[in-house]
Amino acid sequence: MPRFTIHDLAQTIDARAASGGEASYTRKLLDKGAEHCAKKFGEEAVETVIAAVENDRAHLIAESADLLYHFLVLLKARGVKLEEVEAALDKRTNMSGLEEKASRKG
């Protein structure tokens, strides 16, 4: 069975961003600007946290899917590619999390 990946989602967002706004929620979000996309991402983050705190597995899964979608839309709005985020994560795997966090201070 084929597996849907975050890259598949990013490609879907790219395709919908290129489409007309009337039929695409993604295009409508992008047309409202990066600030609006950031607010939507923040709303989804809060909803994800609430689902986690309430220990509601099904709700957490659904909100996590919304969160990932809105995160990728926000990246698109700011012209950041998923591959750039992956490259930053790749760099961080060469050191411990504590070392990486310390390297960002200052």
Side-chain angles (χ1 to χ4, degrees):
M1 177 165 115
R3 195 172 141 226
F4 187 81
T5 70
I6 196 163
H7 286 276
D8 296 328
L9 179 58
Q11 288 176 343
T12 299
I13 289 168
D14 286 344
R16 291 183 180 166
S19 71
E22 289 305 310
S24 171
Y25 177 62
T26 300
R27 184 71 259 158
K28 286 182 180 186
L29 287 170
L30 292 167
D31 287 346
K32 290 182 180 179
E35 294 80 8
H36 179 78
C37 294
K39 288 177 186 175
K40 289 298 293 180
F41 174 69
E43 290 170 14
E44 295 302 334
V46 169
E47 291 171 7
T48 302
V49 169
I50 290 168
V53 168
E54 291 176 347
N55 198 23
D56 184 336
R57 181 179 170 78
H59 191 209
L60 177 58
I61 291 168
E63 292 300 340
S64 295
D66 291 346
L67 181 68
L68 289 173
Y69 165 77
H70 283 281
F71 173 63
L72 292 178
V73 171
L74 176 58
L75 292 181
K76 178 79 174 169
R78 286 295 187 208
V80 176
K81 296 188 180 303
L82 179 58
E83 292 79 7
E84 293 174 274
V85 176
E86 290 175 323
L89 288 169
D90 185 52
K91 277 179 57 175
R92 294 178 184 185
T93 62
N94 295 323
M95 62 179 80
S96 78
L98 294 175
E99 290 172 322
E100 190 281 325
K101 188 172 182 178
S103 74
R104 289 188 272 154
K105 292 182 180 177

